[in-house]
Amino acid sequence: MALPEVALPSIIGAAVPRIDGPLKVSGNAMYTADFHFPGMVYAIPVCSTVAKGKLTRLDASDAEKMPGVVAILRRENIGKLYRSARDLTFTAYLDERRPPFEDDVIYYNGQYVALAVAETFEQAQAAAAAVRVFYSEEKPDVGDDLEPEGKLKAGNTRGDTETAFAKAPVKIDETYVTPVETHNPIELHASVSIWDGSKFTLYETTQGVVNHRAVLAQVLGVPTENVQVISRFLGSGFGGKLFPWPHSALAAAASRQLNRPVKLVLSRNMMFSNVGHRPLTQQRVRLAATPDGKLVSLQHDYVNHTSILDNYQEHCGEATPYLYSVPNLGVASGLARRNVGTPTSMRGPGAVPGLFATESAMDELAIKLNMDPVEFRLLNEPEKDESNGLPFSSRHFQECLRVGADKFGWSKRNPKVSSMREGDLILGWGMAACSWIAERLSCEANVELRSDGTVRVACATQDIGTGTYTILAQIVSARTGVPLDRISVVLGDTSLPPGPLSGGSMATASVIPAVCAASDQAISTLLYTATQATNSPFSGKIFKDLAVTNGRVHEKSSPPDNGIPYETVLKNANVSEASGNGKSEGTFLKRSDKYSTHSFGAHFVEVTWDPGIARLRVRRIVTVIDGGRIINQRSARNQIEGSIMMGIGMALLEETHYEPRTGHPVNNNLADYCMSVNADTPEIDVTFLDYPDLVVNEYGARGVGEIGLAGVAAAIASAVYHSSGVRIRRLPVKIENLLAPGPTA
Ligand code: MOS
């Protein structure tokens, strides 16, 4: 369907470097753990060394006598902490609902049982180690064979997959497993809390200051307006910082009990236990087609592990119902409880593990059909979203496949396994599709045109490192004509108008309507001011007959150059700023009943496999993304490149291991938990199709980030199969699996 083109200022889409870059490289950007206040004390949690059982006795007598120790806080002396009421509107949401120290039951290894507070970090650490904790211990369940509790819950369904699958001539029925993955942003989770007798000021590492405030107010039992949350800069989060975790409540409660500012920074080890992870998933895919490659049935059944207390669900079937045309389809999901901390969203939650399974299955079925995997996907393009009958707002998936295949040189692929050689290397070429939601969260923003010639835009969203500061400046510049170097952006503080989570790749799409509306209102205020001032050439004119072009106020009937700079208009009127507020509704919870909005893409991967020395490398990736209009080519490319690197880690390296007797994450450090690094970086070629999706917002930007990770692991696993003949259905791909003879691992 054809949508009207809009002419946009060239700042939209420009490859603008991050406006906060200089602050970061000079060390002047203040991250949570950088804040220091007079009288501040340091808190270190004491963590359970067992994963299941009861806390029977806690002896803090030695610890309390140690130098510098202020308190050993535990259930008896931390003060009252409440559960945050269940809230699914993302205005007060969290994944681990149990407040710290609520009872003496141990649910997972690493669970906080006490908090050592001391004058220095080292003293707090020593005191935490000196607290003696006694448990009655039971054998935990941290196993990875997921038997769901109860029957699977059916989700989106059409047709009859059972009958269609039974009758289908060509089919596969395989199970795919993705392991526990741990978020490892370089910035550790941290909380710095100040209590002034009635109000909390919380410096936090959070992807959602507004949500964090709402949750902490409930947990602490104080009115929302008595909590201010500040998060100016983040060293990323990948979903691990979307929602509050128990350490925030501990820091805040400690500051209230002790009447001192408290700093609590998690260790890297604690990050593997206490602040979420991507859960283990086990997914059975039954996929069937006619001999000429038309899909007839797709059943996607999946289970993820969750903690004992919380029902975290990994929505692996997120992209399944709409990606391809298939008359019979079902998704069904279940949970299996384990003695682990509560899982949480990790980059591309649901779709990322889900697409590993379904896109691997597409590759396996294409091989059975003796069809090219690109052709197979092109052949099953839907005309509309078959899960709800709605037209796609903007879908260019086939173009992603064609452009990607062309740039990669896919036509030169010999489909025969291990047939493409280069000296000792066997090349493997694989591909996969990707998709991600394109929705908005509600947002408010304020824009001020100021008499010093600057423009200020403020919003209580935050920049997790993706470029949100820069995006807001670009939007305001586009809307007001004021150059970037005169625009200041203020984010990450709940005292500003409420903004969205930095999550779901929705921040850019969410802020555009509110910031545009605020800019427009600020301009109206300015023009009205111009007509009201007595010493203004515009006095007595109708403000609707005026306009601002490139920062100059003029009559619409006369050229902009004859106008007056807006700061002069304001100064002459003795007005410090012309202010405007904007507000937009979200679409994430209340989806459109007119359009299905999603982003699409395709990855093409070359691996090299050297069986003589057992070396597997990803050498080249071509990615094409249909993510609506790209607001900033540089930050968007950076997002996709980072996601691709995460995809390489997911495919080949990442896996959190729990010790079966203690439930302890054994590789809970950056030496033993392997992630892809610069040395693993292949040649990466990212293309954005850049079709505006004007259903999503006025600039047609759907936002990008997570989509770049979706599908990468499937493309790599398929390339690994093409080179080695071994199909890996349980991530990560391990060298030893490729050395073993046999068709599967
Ligand atoms: Mo993302 S997992 O929505 O931070």
Side-chain angles (χ1 to χ4, degrees):
M1 79 138 252
L3 287 160
E5 269 289 330
V6 281
L8 287 174
S10 57
I11 190 76
I12 297 296
V16 176
R18 281 174 172 71
I19 60 171
D20 49 329
L23 271 182
K24 287 183 170 174
V25 297
S26 62
N28 286 307
M30 291 286 280
Y31 292 79
T32 295
D34 296 331
F35 285 92
H36 191 91
F37 297 96
M40 195 172 81
V41 288
Y42 294 81
I44 302 279
V46 179
C47 297
S48 171
T49 54
V50 308
K52 185 179 183 186
K54 277 201 107 160
L55 176 70
T56 52
R57 194 161 72 87
L58 197 142
D59 179 357
S61 53
D62 289 347
E64 278 164 344
K65 290 186 213 111
M66 289 171 71
V69 171
V70 176
I72 306 295
L73 296 174
R74 46 212 190 263
R75 185 141 58 87
E76 297 73 38
N77 59 359
I78 188 83
K80 182 70 188 145
L81 293 173
Y82 299 88
R83 284 188 179 222
S84 168
R86 203 25 140 202
D87 177 345
L88 298 174
T89 63
F90 291 110
T91 50
Y93 187 89
L94 77 172
D95 278 320
E96 181 165 335
R97 294 181 61 221
R98 177 186 177 272
F101 310 164
E102 188 183 49
D103 54 28
D104 283 335
V105 182
I106 303 297
Y107 300 96
Y108 61 91
N109 189 302
Q111 181 180 318
Y112 305 134
V113 293
L115 185 73
V117 186
E119 300 291 342
T120 71
F121 176 76
E122 292 76 8
Q123 288 167 335
Q125 245 182 347
V131 174
R132 283 196 303 261
V133 190
F134 302 89
Y135 306 93
S136 68
E137 187 178 353
E138 293 169 51
K139 190 177 157 23
D141 187 353
V142 292
D144 60 4
D145 191 12
L146 300 185
E147 243 337 289
E149 52 177 23
K151 272 178 59 169
L152 293 186
K153 223 170 63 204
N156 199 289
T157 298
R158 57 183 181 258
D160 173 1
T161 56
E162 208 158 303
T163 312
F165 187 79
K167 284 201 301 213
V170 192
K171 53 191 153 188
I172 60 146
D173 178 354
E174 298 291 354
T175 296
Y176 303 86
V177 176
T178 64
V180 173
E181 285 183 275
T182 300
H183 313 72
N184 273 292
I186 289 305
E187 182 200 28
L188 301 165
H189 285 243
S191 296
V192 175
S193 172
I194 301 164
W195 164 253
D196 73 0
S198 63
K199 290 189 173 161
F200 289 96
T201 306
L202 307 177
Y203 294 81
E204 297 282 359
T205 50
T206 174
Q207 293 173 235
V209 289
V210 175
N211 179 70
H212 198 100
R213 171 179 60 177
V215 170
L216 267 287
Q218 294 184 9
V219 170
L220 296 162
V222 299
T224 310
E225 64 270 23
N226 287 18
V227 180
Q228 182 183 7
V229 176
I230 296 168
S231 196
R232 297 281 186 209
F233 294 98
L234 283 152
S236 200
F238 306 119
K241 294 171 182 167
L242 273 173
F243 307 118
W245 295 99
H247 69 270
S248 292
L250 285 182
S255 71
R256 179 166 62 184
Q257 292 307 99
L258 305 171
N259 224 353
R260 305 266 300 263
V262 172
K263 179 184 289 193
L264 195 169
V265 183
L266 294 197
S267 65
R268 184 63 61 179
N269 293 5
M270 291 174 197
M271 301 261 292
F272 282 78
S273 303
N274 303 72
V275 287
H277 56 270
R278 195 201 292 281
L280 182 73
T281 77
Q282 190 176 290
Q283 307 175 55
R284 181 181 180 193
V285 181
R286 278 167 285 179
L287 186 64
T290 61
D292 55 357
K294 188 70 201 71
L295 288 173
V296 293
S297 184
L298 168 53
Q299 179 68 38
H300 186 189
D301 296 335
Y302 51 93
V303 181
N304 68 263
H305 88 196
T306 186
S307 59
I308 302 299
L309 293 179
D310 298 298
N311 299 329
Y312 175 80
Q313 202 191 355
E314 185 77 19
H315 294 283
C316 298
E318 147 78 31
T320 309
Y322 64 81
L323 194 50
Y324 300 110
S325 174
V326 49
N328 302 286
L329 180 135
V331 298
S333 62
L335 298 177
R337 288 191 195 279
R338 293 291 179 268
N339 291 100
V340 296
T342 301
T344 196
S345 294
M346 182 174 183
R347 215 149 206 239
V352 163
L355 284 164
F356 167 66
T358 53
E359 284 298 292
S360 291
M362 285 293 283
D363 196 67
E364 296 206 55
L365 194 57
I367 290 166
K368 256 199 167 167
L369 288 160
N370 208 12
M371 266 187 100
D372 179 85
V374 178
E375 287 304 315
F376 183 36
R377 286 165 172 88
L378 287 170
L379 193 63
N380 288 287
E381 174 75 2
E383 277 175 19
K384 57 179 183 197
D385 181 338
E386 294 180 1
S387 72
N388 52 23
L390 299 177
F392 290 105
S393 58
S394 169
R395 171 171 166 139
H396 301 87
F397 176 54
Q398 290 183 308
E399 190 175 334
C400 292
L401 292 169
R402 292 201 177 99
V403 169
D406 191 46
K407 290 194 114 184
F408 187 84
W410 189 258
S411 62
K412 297 190 205 74
R413 181 179 186 259
N414 180 342
K416 197 168 167 317
V417 163
S418 305
S419 64
M420 294 175 70
R421 297 195 177 236
E422 203 183 279
D424 291 338
L425 302 177
I426 309 176
L427 305 190
W429 285 9
M431 57 78 55
C434 57
S435 183
W436 185 246
I437 57 168
E439 301 293 337
R440 294 188 337 232
L441 297 165
S442 62
C443 181
E444 295 182 35
N446 172 261
V447 169
E448 288 174 355
L449 298 157
R450 300 176 76 97
S451 60
D452 63 359
T454 64
V455 182
R456 178 187 192 264
V457 51
C459 175
T461 187
Q462 51 290 308
D463 189 338
I464 61 168
T466 50
T468 305
Y469 278 107
T470 311
I471 297 286
L472 267 84
Q474 286 179 271
I475 299 164
V476 169
S477 177
R479 211 66 178 180
T480 61
V482 175
L484 282 181
D485 60 6
R486 288 204 273 145
I487 296 172
S488 67
V489 185
V490 187
L491 307 176
D493 184 336
T494 50
S495 60
L496 306 171
L501 294 169
S502 300
S505 303
M506 292 184 282
T508 292
S510 304
V511 297
I512 287 171
V515 172
C516 285
S519 300
D520 294 353
Q521 201 189 73
I523 288 170
S524 294
T525 309
L526 167 74
L527 299 181
Y528 185 70
T529 305
T531 64
Q532 297 301 300
T534 47
N535 57 350
S536 158
F538 307 110
S539 74
K541 306 259 189 249
I542 312 261
F543 87 94
K544 299 225 185 254
D545 292 340
L546 304 181
V548 193
T549 305
N550 297 329
R552 295 177 89 86
V553 178
H554 61 99
E555 288 189 65
K556 279 181 184 162
S557 56
S558 105
D561 290 353
N562 294 352
I564 297 177
Y566 70 87
E567 59 269 32
T568 309
V569 170
L570 293 170
K571 264 185 230 145
N572 289 347
N574 192 30
V575 163
S576 79
E577 77 263 333
S579 175
N581 295 313
K583 183 174 179 165
S584 59
E585 296 302 321
T587 59
F588 180 61
L589 296 165
K590 196 168 174 290
R591 304 239 169 146
S592 162
D593 54 7
K594 294 196 181 63
Y595 294 101
S596 169
T597 53
H598 297 274
S599 287
F600 301 93
H603 303 286
F604 293 80
V605 172
E606 176 177 282
V607 301
T608 63
W609 167 234
D610 185 343
I613 56 168
R615 183 160 69 184
L616 177 67
R617 302 285 291 169
V618 177
R619 190 160 75 173
R620 192 158 74 87
I621 296 195
V622 171
T623 292
V624 184
I625 300 291
D626 170 24
R629 183 172 329 248
I630 300 303
I631 299 292
N632 185 322
Q633 286 284 340
R634 186 187 300 248
S635 57
R637 187 171 309 274
N638 180 221
Q639 281 299 295
I640 300 301
E641 288 172 350
S643 277
I644 287 169
M645 290 309 291
M646 263 182 110
I648 293 172
M650 175 181 178
L652 304 181
L653 301 165
E654 291 196 46
E655 179 171 22
T656 308
H657 295 281
Y658 297 98
E659 209 281 327
R661 287 162 303 173
T662 61
H664 181 243
V666 281
N667 55 340
N668 63 354
N669 56 75
L670 293 184
D672 295 323
Y673 183 89
C674 295
M675 289 176 287
S676 59
V677 296
N678 279 341
D680 300 301
T681 311
E683 193 186 312
I684 300 176
D685 177 347
V686 179
T687 303
F688 294 110
L689 296 186
D690 220 19
Y691 291 107
D693 187 341
L694 297 173
V695 164
V696 176
N697 52 45
E698 41 274 79
Y699 290 160
R702 289 200 288 244
V704 291
E706 286 152 294
I707 189 168
L709 171 54
V712 173
I716 292 174
S718 297
V720 167
Y721 175 81
H722 182 233
S723 67
S724 67
V726 180
R727 174 65 62 176
I728 302 293
R729 302 191 185 93
R730 183 183 198 102
L731 291 181
V733 175
K734 295 189 180 112
I735 300 299
E736 51 268 39
N737 299 142
L738 305 189
L739 294 172
T744 58

